[in-house]
Amino acid sequence: MDTFTGEVIHSTGYKNGKAYGDKSVLVVGSGNSGMGIALDLANYGAKTSIVVRSPYIPYGVVDSIMLWLSKLVYGDLSKYGINRPKEGPFFMKVAYGKYPVLDTGTCKKIKSGEIQVLPAIESIRGNVVIFENGTSHPFDAIVFCTGFKRSTNTWLKYLLNDDGLAKPNFPNRWKGKNGLFCAGLSRRGLYGASSDAQNIANEIKSLL
């Protein structure tokens, strides 16, 4: 990175793609923030590339149905550099805390060639980035969408574990002490967050 002559920014400092309209930009990280920023850059006319290191796209029978539906909707994306994960989205959420990417138009841009998908970075020499498949491309800017860590557990130690999830056991993970509640911190997705919110509302109503 010391040799890179262009602009380097983390996604937390990214505003919009207006300043990158005529530039070649590399987005590192293919989660929701990375895919969203890549789409925004492409919409502003930037020559956009994104590094996809792990399988992308959104237990049991439900996961199989979800994977089949995603293949039906998005087709085979491997020819664009995006490989489908072996596990389904619900298993990955529970096992690894990883959530599927919510596609808001990025896949369409990838298929049209407006966004280029590249593998992991091997090295950087000046403004040229070399990738693990042996290809190299020059860039004016790099946007890093990596390195996210939960920090709420550092100041809510009595409510959250080191991994940022609720300490109380299921099914009362939403219920803390001293009138403090938490919703959506049990790796149960939107359904879990909805259930937690409903339980919290009922608990507050019972106290009034």
Side-chain angles (χ1 to χ4, degrees), residues 131-195:
F131 300 90
E132 64 177 11
N133 65 353
T135 61
S136 60
H137 302 276
F139 293 98
D140 300 305
I142 300 177
V143 182
F144 284 97
C145 303
T146 57
F148 294 100
K149 292 183 179 179
R150 297 184 178 97
S151 61
T152 47
N153 62 298
T154 60
W155 48 276
L156 283 176
K157 294 181 179 179
Y158 58 93
L159 180 63
L160 304 179
N161 293 320
D162 291 338
D163 58 4
L165 299 176
K167 281 185 178 180
N169 294 323
F170 180 82
N172 293 320
R173 287 201 161 214
W174 54 273
K175 192 174 184 179
K177 297 179 180 179
N178 304 317
L180 186 63
F181 308 103
C182 58
L185 296 178
S186 58
R187 283 187 177 171
R188 294 173 61 224
L190 294 176
Y191 170 80
S194 173
S195 177

Side-chain angles (χ1 to χ4, degrees), residues 3-4 9 17 22 32 40 43 52 61 66 134 138 149 160 197 199:
T3 67
F4 186 69
I9 185 175
D22 59 345
N32 280 299
D40 186 61
N43 285 337
V52 177
V61 176
M66 290 297 292
K149 292 183 179 179
L160 304 179
N199 286 326

Side-chain angles (χ1 to χ4, degrees), residues 48-208:
T48 309
S49 300
I50 185 168
V51 170
V52 177
R53 294 176 295 178
S54 56
Y56 162 76
I57 289 210
Y59 268 130
V61 176
V62 178
D63 263 347
S64 297
I65 293 172
M66 290 297 292
L67 288 174
W68 179 80
L69 287 173
S70 68
K71 187 174 183 179
L72 182 67
V73 173
Y74 296 106
D76 182 14
L77 295 177
S78 61
K79 57 185 176 183
Y80 301 103
I82 298 176
N83 296 312
R84 190 179 305 279
K86 294 179 180 179
E87 300 99 339
F90 292 99
F91 175 84
M92 293 180 72
K93 175 177 64 66
V94 173
Y96 314 121
K98 291 184 176 181
Y99 289 80
V101 172
L102 302 176
D103 179 44
T104 57
T106 310
C107 280
K108 185 177 179 181
K109 296 281 188 182
I110 289 172
K111 287 182 176 181
S112 70
E114 293 176 74
I115 296 176
Q116 177 181 212
V117 176
L118 296 168
I121 295 173
E122 185 177 280
S123 61
I124 298 175
R125 299 172 188 173
N127 70 329
V128 177
V129 179
I130 297 92
F131 300 90
E132 64 177 11
N133 65 353
T135 61
S136 60
H137 302 276
F139 293 98
D140 300 305
I142 300 177
V143 182
F144 284 97
C145 303
T146 57
F148 294 100
K149 292 183 179 179
R150 297 184 178 97
S151 61
T152 47
N153 62 298
T154 60
W155 48 276
L156 283 176
K157 294 181 179 179
Y158 58 93
L159 180 63
L160 304 179
N161 293 320
D162 291 338
D163 58 4
L165 299 176
K167 281 185 178 180
N169 294 323
F170 180 82
N172 293 320
R173 287 201 161 214
W174 54 273
K175 192 174 184 179
K177 297 179 180 179
N178 304 317
L180 186 63
F181 308 103
C182 58
L185 296 178
S186 58
R187 283 187 177 171
R188 294 173 61 224
L190 294 176
Y191 170 80
S194 173
S195 177
D196 290 344
Q198 208 165 17
N199 286 326
I200 292 169
N202 291 335
E203 178 73 9
I204 293 173
K205 182 179 179 181
S206 70
L207 297 173
L208 296 177

